[in-house]
Amino acid sequence: MKKARDMKSIEQALVAFYRNQKRMPTYAEMMDLFEVRSKSVVSYWIEKLIEKGILEKDAQGFLKLSGVSFGIPLVGNVAAGLPVSAEENAHDVVSMDEYLVARPDSSFLLRVTGDSMIGAGIMEGDLVVVERDRQPKNGDIVLAEVDGEWTMKYFRRQGRGVFLEAANPAYSTIHPQSELKIGGVIAASVRKYLM
Amino acid sequence: MKKARDMKSIEQALVAFYRNQKRMPTYAEMMDLFEVRSKSVVSYWIEKLIEKGILEKDAQGFLKLSGVSFGIPLVGNVAAGLPVSAEENAHDVVSMDEYLVARPDSSFLLRVTGDSMIGAGIMEGDLVVVERDRQPKNGDIVLAEVDGEWTMKYFRRQGRGVFLEAANPAYSTIHPQSELKIGGVIAASVRKYLM
DNA sequence: TTGACATTAGAACGTGCGTTCTATATAAGT
DNA sequence: ACTTATATAGAACGCACGTTCTAATGTCAA
């Protein structure tokens, strides 16, 4: 029987552990993960992974998975289709959190109700990531208060004035009279199909 | 001067540290984080946070932020608008990774090209999360090979037959002759507005 | 067969970790 | 004023952690 103990299987074991436990395993735990019976063997493999750049040690000597290895692979585009072997052409690996939420401290999520932004591909039930403390630019989608209700609209700048436009012809464009209350700028939208 | 050393500030310091370092700090590091000069004070506060349910210790005694506290708050829906104080009504906190990617080991990302699913609110440039090893149900959006090209279509089941339908009237429905190559089922779609 | 190299096992070691103790300072309640 | 509770500081302790050493085993080529 050949021990399936190569770098890839070890890396996968570490990623799986980190996904579940949200921390790196101790060397004792890695003995079980790697199916070896000595911590020195763990040290042996860890050193190899560090040389390969898969692992890092931070200033305090704690292990860290390099880059954003705990996301899922971004393999290409739809036309290219599914990855042949799910191995090699994993050009990049991204974490949804890091990709979608640039400023976690000033962001929050809202669930979309209504169809005012259907033309922009934002549908009822979607979640939108809203960044507050950010001034909207022309063409951004903003969360704004209109007639005492919060809705999502395109933010349009024309000359020295601004107005709000829905991405749905059923709604009329709004030229705010006095002040314009902006709750934030939509940074991203997500939709879930499978439960 | 009053020390701003309450549970909330401590929790925020821990979350911020975890976001940056992808691990929990040691007690020595927490002395700096909390601006105290004794590890016993750290222990004192950690115990309080554990009682409050903000922190946990796993089986090996390692600290862990409870729940999914390292996401961003889901505060309600668009009609309700932005959170008044960004504190209290944080009903739930979700991580985009956990929310969107249920099966990380059998999922991958694709960038959408073309407009065949525009009717379903999936536009060019979006990212879709694809789950392989999953049989599609009627109405699911699937990644399928049609005429040697990979595209996204609705998976329709009719009687004992199946066919593929685009969410765009410009594309015709496809009744596969022989076999039907399915690369996976679309689990989620995301779109990013701000760069 | 022999040698070189890669991989595993086991044990010993020093250090930093989290814990726990005592003591002191501040704030609030009666 | 006196008590009680809350919060901080400092020091000491035991142990688990990661490191490192020696040695044995497996693998492959010459």
Side-chain angles (χ1 to χ4, degrees):
Chain A
M1 67 166 190
K2 185 188 284 181
K3 307 265 185 177
R5 206 177 300 143
D6 51 6
M7 292 208 199
K8 187 158 289 291
S9 64
I10 286 182
E11 178 185 1
Q12 287 172 351
L14 288 175
V15 171
F17 187 97
Y18 186 87
R19 277 219 186 92
N20 291 332
Q21 306 293 328
K22 298 276 187 288
R23 64 172 174 89
M24 291 301 285
T26 68
Y27 278 48
E29 289 168 327
M30 292 190 224
M31 286 172 57
D32 290 339
L33 277 180
F34 304 166
E35 293 179 0
V36 296
R37 276 184 282 180
S38 173
K39 283 196 288 183
S40 68
V41 181
V42 173
S43 181
Y44 175 81
W45 282 105
I46 292 297
E47 196 183 3
K48 295 195 113 187
L49 293 192
I50 290 175
E51 283 173 6
K52 254 221 160 184
I54 297 172
L55 285 176
E56 289 175 3
K57 287 194 182 181
D58 63 14
Q60 280 74 36
F62 288 94
L63 282 178
K64 229 180 70 177
L65 287 165
S66 297
V68 279
S69 297
F70 30 85
I72 64 175
L74 170 61
V75 296
N77 55 47
V78 167
L82 84 167
V84 270
S85 105
E87 310 274 10
E88 310 316 324
N89 41 8
H91 308 121
D92 203 357
V93 174
V94 300
S95 152
M96 289 286 96
D97 280 324
E98 296 180 8
Y99 176 72
L100 294 175
V101 190
R103 296 178 178 77
D105 292 324
S106 60
S107 299
F108 57 93
L109 291 172
L110 286 179
R111 192 168 295 279
V112 175
T113 59
D115 57 354
S116 70
M117 292 306 289
I118 189 91
I122 300 180
M123 304 157 62
E124 176 138 24
D126 291 2
L127 288 182
V128 288
V129 179
V130 183
E131 275 189 23
R132 59 170 165 270
D133 309 333
R134 176 159 184 149
Q135 68 223 36
K137 289 193 292 291
N138 186 35
D140 284 352
I141 302 173
V142 296
L143 177 68
E145 189 177 25
V146 174
D147 296 333
E149 272 217 348
W150 288 94
T151 52
M152 287 165 49
K153 304 279 182 192
Y154 278 120
F155 180 86
R156 302 292 189 191
R157 190 179 293 277
Q158 196 172 43
R160 61 175 26 176
V162 299
F163 60 97
L164 300 175
E165 179 189 13
N168 186 338
Y171 295 82
S172 57
T173 298
I174 289 153
H175 291 79
Q177 319 290 6
S178 50
E179 102 264 56
L180 180 57
K181 275 182 148 178
I182 302 289
V185 181
I186 274 68
S189 70
V190 309
R191 188 179 311 132
K192 203 176 171 185
Y193 293 101
L194 302 178
M195 290 302 134
Chain B
M1 63 168 191
K2 185 187 286 181
K3 306 263 182 176
R5 205 175 301 144
D6 52 5
M7 292 209 199
K8 186 158 289 292
S9 64
I10 287 181
E11 178 185 1
Q12 286 172 352
L14 288 175
V15 170
F17 187 97
Y18 186 88
R19 278 220 185 91
N20 291 333
Q21 306 292 325
K22 298 276 188 288
R23 65 172 174 88
M24 292 300 285
T26 67
Y27 278 48
E29 289 168 330
M30 292 189 223
M31 286 171 57
D32 290 339
L33 278 179
F34 305 164
E35 294 179 359
V36 296
R37 275 184 283 181
S38 173
K39 283 198 287 183
S40 68
V41 181
V42 174
S43 181
Y44 174 82
W45 282 105
I46 292 297
E47 196 183 3
K48 295 195 115 189
L49 293 192
I50 290 175
E51 282 173 8
K52 254 222 162 183
I54 297 172
L55 285 177
E56 289 174 4
K57 288 195 181 180
D58 62 13
Q60 280 75 35
F62 287 94
L63 282 178
K64 229 180 70 176
L65 288 165
S66 296
V68 281
S69 297
F70 29 84
I72 63 176
L74 170 61
V75 296
N77 55 46
V78 167
L82 83 169
V84 269
S85 105
E87 310 275 9
E88 312 314 324
N89 41 8
H91 309 121
D92 201 357
V93 174
V94 299
S95 152
M96 290 286 97
D97 280 324
E98 295 179 10
Y99 176 72
L100 295 175
V101 190
R103 296 176 177 77
D105 292 324
S106 59
S107 298
F108 57 93
L109 291 172
L110 286 178
R111 193 168 294 279
V112 175
T113 60
D115 57 355
S116 70
M117 293 305 290
I118 190 92
I122 300 181
M123 304 158 63
E124 176 139 23
D126 291 2
L127 288 183
V128 288
V129 179
V130 183
E131 274 190 23
R132 59 169 166 269
D133 311 332
R134 176 157 185 148
Q135 68 223 35
K137 290 193 292 289
N138 186 34
D140 283 353
I141 302 174
V142 296
L143 177 68
E145 189 178 24
V146 175
D147 297 333
E149 272 218 346
W150 288 95
T151 52
M152 287 166 49
K153 303 278 181 193
Y154 278 121
F155 180 86
R156 302 292 190 192
R157 191 179 293 275
Q158 197 172 43
R160 60 175 27 178
V162 301
F163 61 95
L164 300 174
E165 181 188 13
N168 186 337
Y171 295 81
S172 56
T173 299
I174 288 152
H175 291 77
Q177 318 291 6
S178 50
E179 100 266 60
L180 181 57
K181 276 182 144 174
I182 301 289
V185 182
I186 273 67
S189 70
V190 310
R191 187 179 312 130
K192 202 176 169 183
Y193 294 101
L194 303 178
M195 292 300 134

